C-alpha cells in the first residue's frame, strides 16, 4: 500500500519537471536558428558552430532579420556569405550594422571586397551620421566594370612590362603586374 502514493508523487514530480523545464522548446528554438542559418547558405556544420558562439549567432540573426525585412527576394548564398562576414566583423555599433545591412539587402554591396571596404570605412569613421557619398565612393557602389575594361587594363600592364617580361621570361615576378592591377580601377572592385 505504501507504493501507490510514491508512484503518484513520482508522476506528479515528473510532470512538474517536464512542464517547468520543457527541453522540447529549447531544442526547437535551436533547430529554428540552425534552419535560419542554413536558409542563407551556411552548411549544417557551420550553422552548428555559429550556434555555439552566442554573440555571433545573435548578431547574425539580427542581420538576417534586417535583410529579410528590406528585401523581397530570397536570400541567396552570396548574400548569406556577406551577412555572415558582417556578423563576424569588428563593427560593434548596431546603427552601423543596420546601415551596412541595408546596402546588402538592396544588393548595392555585392562582393566580399566591397564589404571589406565598407567595414574598413566604418572603423575609420565611427561617428554618425555616415557620409553616404564618401561611403559609396569608398566601397565602389555604382561602379560597373565590364570584362572588356578588365582585359584592356591587363593588356596595358603587359605592354608596360613587355621588355622585362621578354628579358626575364619565366623568372619574371608576376606579382608586380597583379599588384598594379589590383590598384587600378578595374581591379579594385
Amino acid at each position: 500500500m505504501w507504493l501507490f502514493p510514491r508512484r503518484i508523487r513520482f508522476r506528479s514530480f515528473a510532470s512538474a519537471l517536464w512542464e517547468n523545464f520543457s527541453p522540447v522548446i529549447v531544442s526547437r528554438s535551436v533547430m529554428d536558428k540552425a534552419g535560419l542559418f542554413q536558409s542563407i547558405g551556411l552548411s549544417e556544420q557551420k550553422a552548428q558552430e555559429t550556434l555555439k558562439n552566442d554573440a555571433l549567432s545573435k548578431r547574425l540573426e539580427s542581420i538576417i532579420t534586417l535583410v529579410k525585412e528590406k528585401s523581397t527576394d530570397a536570400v541567396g548564398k552570396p548574400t548569406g556569405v556577406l551577412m555572415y562576414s558582417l556578423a563576424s566583423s569588428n563593427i560593434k555599433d548596431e546603427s552601423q550594422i543596420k546601415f551596412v545591412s541595408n546596402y546588402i539587402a538592396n544588393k548595392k554591396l555585392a562582393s566580399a571586397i566591397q564589404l571589406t571596404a565598407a567595414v574598413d570605412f566604418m572603423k575609420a569613421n565611427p561617428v554618425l551620421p555616415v557620409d553616404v557619398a564618401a561611403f559609396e565612393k569608398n566601397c565602389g557602389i555604382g561602379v560597373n566594370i565590364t570584362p572588356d575594361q578588365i582585359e584592356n587594363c591587363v593588356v596595358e600592364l603587359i605592354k608596360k612590362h613587355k621588355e622585362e617580361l621578354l628579358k626575364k621570361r619565366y623568372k619574371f615576378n608576376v606579382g608586380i603586374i597583379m599588384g598594379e592591377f589590383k590598384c587600378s580601377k578595374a581591379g579594385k572592385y
Side-chain angles (χ1 to χ4, degrees), residues 86-125:
L86 178 60
S88 60
S89 72
N90 291 333
I91 298 176
K92 302 295 183 207
D93 189 23
E94 283 296 319
S95 58
Q96 289 182 336
I97 290 174
K98 286 179 184 178
F99 184 80
V100 176
S101 296
N102 287 334
Y103 276 89
I104 292 173
N106 295 330
K107 308 250 189 263
K108 290 182 178 180
L109 285 176
S111 69
I113 295 171
Q114 287 179 320
L115 181 64
T116 302
V119 169
D120 291 343
F121 183 85
M122 289 298 182
K123 280 192 237 174
N125 303 303

Side-chain angles (χ1 to χ4, degrees), residues 20-51:
N20 293 332
F21 181 63
S22 187
V24 176
I25 294 172
V26 172
S27 63
R28 186 177 297 157
S29 173
V30 171
M31 295 290 282
D32 290 344
K33 279 187 178 182
L36 180 67
F37 296 162
Q38 288 176 355
S39 72
I40 65 166
L42 294 181
S43 66
E44 184 177 350
Q45 180 183 6
K46 192 68 170 178
Q48 294 298 328
E49 289 175 9
T50 304
L51 285 170

